[in-house]
Amino acid sequence: MAPTHTALPNGLGTSFLIVGAGTIGLSTALHLTKRGYKDITLLDRGDSIPSAYSAGNDENKIVRADYEDPFYATKALEAIDAWSHDPIFIPHYKQCGYLVTSSGAAPDKAKSHVDRLIRSISSHPAQPKGCLTTLATPTEIRKHSPRLTGPLSGWSGYINSHAGYARAAPAMKGLYTELVARGVKFHFGTAGDAIAILPDAETAKLYPAPRPYVKTADGNVQCADVIILATGAHTARLLPQAGAQLTAKAWAVGHVRLSATEAKTLLHIPVVNCRDLGFFFAPVPVREDEPNGDWLIKLCAHGGGYTNRSMTSGGGTSLPPTQSEENDAIPVEDEALIRQLLRETLPEFARRPLERKFICWCADTADSEYVIDNVPSYAGLVLASGDSAHAFKMLPVFGQWVADMIESGSQGEVRWRWKTQDSDGTEDINWRVGNVRDIKDVERRSDETEKLVSKL
Ligand SMILES: Cc1cc2nc3c(=O)[nH]c(=O)nc-3n(C[C@H](O)[C@H](O)[C@H](O)COP(=O)(O)OP(=O)(O)OC[C@H]3O[C@@H](n4cnc5c(N)ncnc54)[C@H](O)[C@@H]3O)c2cc1C
């Protein structure tokens, strides 16, 4: 398909440099190729796709259109359609259903969130008829998902059959292969590690809308007619003025190892999300080519999220640590939540060691709205971020919103505009339970974790 434009609004040409080849960067490249653009380059500081620094670098992610806000429900339904029908994404999606609950001990906030989700799904005209079944008691949940043999103490909620999970890292690898085949260029490691956007913000203010370029760690500079920053939680390190609206926040992930025989009994469970504890998935093989080898269940703990202000920026903007190894330990209290989740659902695994533990970083906004807009003071610099921990499911569709904004020259969707109101990252998010804390204030020592497990 020929490009629909040889020039973009604002007199911009049609070469694109995307900084960050994570969820949003890859999706943006896909949609630019779909629109016929030929000159597209991605930079990533990781060594390969998925990058060790990407929030998408994970076994699996929930794909669901269960949003309180019908706007995002509609967008996620479009994404589910693409996961189900687009040959690039089909191999990586499993529509196994999504069980959403709160426990008997849950705060009212978690319970009322589940109630609002039920109302939102029932009233959304594009949700398939009959996809929602309310499960008001532990007995009803067990009847629906008999493999959940734990007590499910006071659990109630619903199951949505029009949802499931994506194999995250394989989906990103598959998309990368597709993009290479479409002629998209990639630079990794030091050649892909953007260390500065030039001119910097202060200099940019002195000249009307200067053209930006990107300096990389190997000493080169990269430029293009349009530069798209899709650097997720790391964005404010490159573009400090984005730190007023993007707060890096992390949540804890861990895995339990199963034999193939154990895994087989769990292959058909839905994604289980208890809003006050955490969520987990059916097991996946450690190696795709060894289905008789070990398998892993991925689990995440819920909470308000952790910032990292002190270690990186002297109490200022929250940013992820610069090295991914610093993420390889989880708070003891999150390990406790994950074990509680297992005790309630799959008690036979509650004492098994958690492995592949890490904290995973997102770019949170005050209202959980994405940001897809031109960066003020620059010509041809676009920010595509603010994922707020709910963007992986949008992998097949996110890039079309970025391409729409670039082609129209401005962001018509008010909620996705560059945010002028500062966020301190501690705002109450209606769909999360728990307070925001700094990672330095929580215990992550493994001996403390062992003490916890020995008490179980
Ligand atoms: C624990 C957890 C669970 C989640 N579960 C789900 C879920 O179930 N479903 C769902 O839809 N979403 C989920 N999410 C959210 C989802 O992972 C994110 O919304 C999404 O991955 C964000 O995409 P992104 O492209 O903005 O950032 P990323 O995917 O993090 O990509 C940013 C990229 O930029 C690169 N980069 C950074 N700095 C530089 C630089 N200076 N130069 C070059 N490259 C750079 C990084 O290497 C990375 O590849 C979850 C998030 C967390 C933390």
Side-chain angles (χ1 to χ4, degrees):
M1 188 174 85
T4 44
H5 305 276
T6 49
L8 291 163
N10 311 327
L12 298 170
T14 57
S15 62
F16 297 89
L17 179 68
I18 303 173
V19 187
T23 308
I24 294 176
L26 292 172
S27 182
T28 299
L30 175 68
H31 284 275
L32 290 172
T33 65
K34 282 188 176 185
R35 293 178 191 204
Y37 297 108
K38 305 276 182 222
D39 188 351
I40 303 164
T41 303
L42 280 105
L43 305 181
D44 202 288
R45 66 181 293 228
D47 293 328
S48 56
I49 302 293
S51 154
Y53 305 96
S54 167
N57 183 8
D58 211 344
E59 291 295 346
N60 28 33
K61 298 282 192 195
I62 306 169
V63 175
R64 46 93 190 170
D66 307 40
Y67 277 93
E68 289 185 27
D69 181 345
F71 174 86
Y72 281 103
T74 304
K75 303 288 181 204
L77 285 165
E78 286 164 23
I80 292 176
D81 193 51
W83 284 107
S84 309
H85 297 107
D86 183 331
I88 301 173
F89 298 104
I90 289 172
H92 310 294
Y93 176 56
K94 184 160 180 198
Q95 189 150 315
C96 57
Y98 181 44
L99 174 66
V100 182
T101 68
S102 56
S103 79
D108 286 347
K109 188 179 181 191
K111 292 182 182 170
S112 59
H113 171 61
V114 177
D115 291 343
R116 288 195 299 275
L117 285 178
I118 292 174
R119 283 201 294 279
S120 165
I121 297 163
S122 327
S123 62
H124 195 293
Q127 289 276 10
K129 290 271 164 300
C131 70
L132 179 84
T133 309
T134 51
L135 301 169
T137 62
T139 309
E140 285 181 20
I141 296 171
R142 218 169 286 120
K143 198 164 162 204
H144 183 276
S145 295
R147 190 57 190 82
L148 303 180
T149 53
L152 304 172
S153 317
W155 281 34
S156 66
Y158 68 87
I159 179 125
N160 185 348
S161 60
H162 191 61
Y165 69 84
R167 293 300 311 278
M172 292 176 85
K173 270 187 209 145
L175 180 49
Y176 165 66
T177 306
E178 176 69 25
L179 291 173
V180 171
R182 291 179 183 218
V184 174
K185 297 177 277 301
F186 284 81
H187 298 289
F188 293 114
T190 53
D193 185 1
I195 53 169
I197 306 281
L198 296 168
D200 64 18
E202 284 312 303
T203 317
K205 275 189 210 146
L206 302 176
Y207 305 101
R211 300 298 306 278
Y213 55 99
V214 173
K215 191 170 174 194
T216 48
D218 62 354
N220 283 324
V221 290
Q222 296 270 357
C223 53
D225 297 313
V226 181
I227 298 177
I228 302 156
L229 275 188
T231 37
H234 312 259
T235 301
R237 191 166 276 126
L238 266 184
L239 189 72
Q241 60 269 48
Q245 60 190 301
L246 302 181
T247 301
K249 280 189 202 160
W251 285 266
V253 178
H255 300 81
V256 167
R257 189 172 286 261
L258 272 58
S259 69
T261 313
E262 288 169 332
K264 260 186 212 134
T265 68
L266 290 166
L267 291 183
H268 303 295
I269 60 168
V271 179
V272 177
N273 190 345
C274 178
R275 298 297 322 175
D276 48 310
L277 294 176
F279 59 96
F280 66 93
F281 299 79
V284 292
V286 173
R287 287 182 54 119
E288 287 302 325
D289 54 349
E290 285 181 13
N292 294 325
D294 287 351
W295 291 56
L296 293 173
I297 294 180
K298 178 192 134 177
L299 304 107
C300 291
H302 278 313
Y306 302 105
T307 53
N308 182 42
R309 296 185 195 281
S310 46
M311 286 186 261
T312 52
S313 49
T317 304
S318 171
L319 284 164
T322 49
Q323 298 307 316
S324 59
E325 304 76 48
E326 293 176 57
N327 296 321
D328 292 348
I330 67 173
V332 175
E333 60 201 73
D334 287 330
E335 177 128 7
L337 277 178
I338 287 173
R339 291 191 178 284
Q340 173 71 7
L341 179 63
L342 283 169
R343 268 203 303 275
E344 292 290 342
T345 52
L346 304 171
E348 65 273 37
F349 304 124
R351 286 179 58 87
R352 221 168 255 197
L354 275 192
E355 51 184 271
R356 294 199 191 174
K357 298 190 264 190
F358 60 92
I359 52 170
C360 171
W361 292 92
C362 289
D364 227 41
T365 60
D367 49 10
S368 291
E369 298 285 1
Y370 306 146
V371 187
I372 307 170
D373 205 350
N374 295 304
V375 176
S377 309
Y378 289 94
L381 183 63
V382 169
L383 176 63
S385 185
D387 67 281
S388 301
H390 66 104
F392 190 86
K393 68 180 73 61
M394 308 295 192
L395 179 70
V397 293
F398 200 110
Q400 96 199 4
W401 312 324
V402 183
D404 284 347
M405 198 291 293
I406 291 168
E407 287 188 342
S408 74
S410 61
Q411 181 51 273
E413 182 55 64
V414 175
R415 53 171 93 208
W416 288 346
R417 287 194 183 145
W418 177 270
K419 297 176 199 314
T420 47
Q421 203 165 357
D422 288 0
S423 159
D424 68 2
T426 61
E427 294 83 3
D428 184 43
I429 307 282
N430 65 344
W431 55 286
R432 295 206 189 115
V433 174
N435 297 325
V436 181
R437 279 177 306 148
D438 202 85
I439 196 71
K440 80 165 187 333
D441 298 330
V442 294
E443 183 59 73
R444 290 205 284 164
R445 279 183 317 187
S446 59
D447 51 335
E448 290 300 318
T449 306
E450 274 156 32
K451 272 190 227 156
L452 169 91
V453 176
S454 69
K455 283 191 209 137
L456 293 175

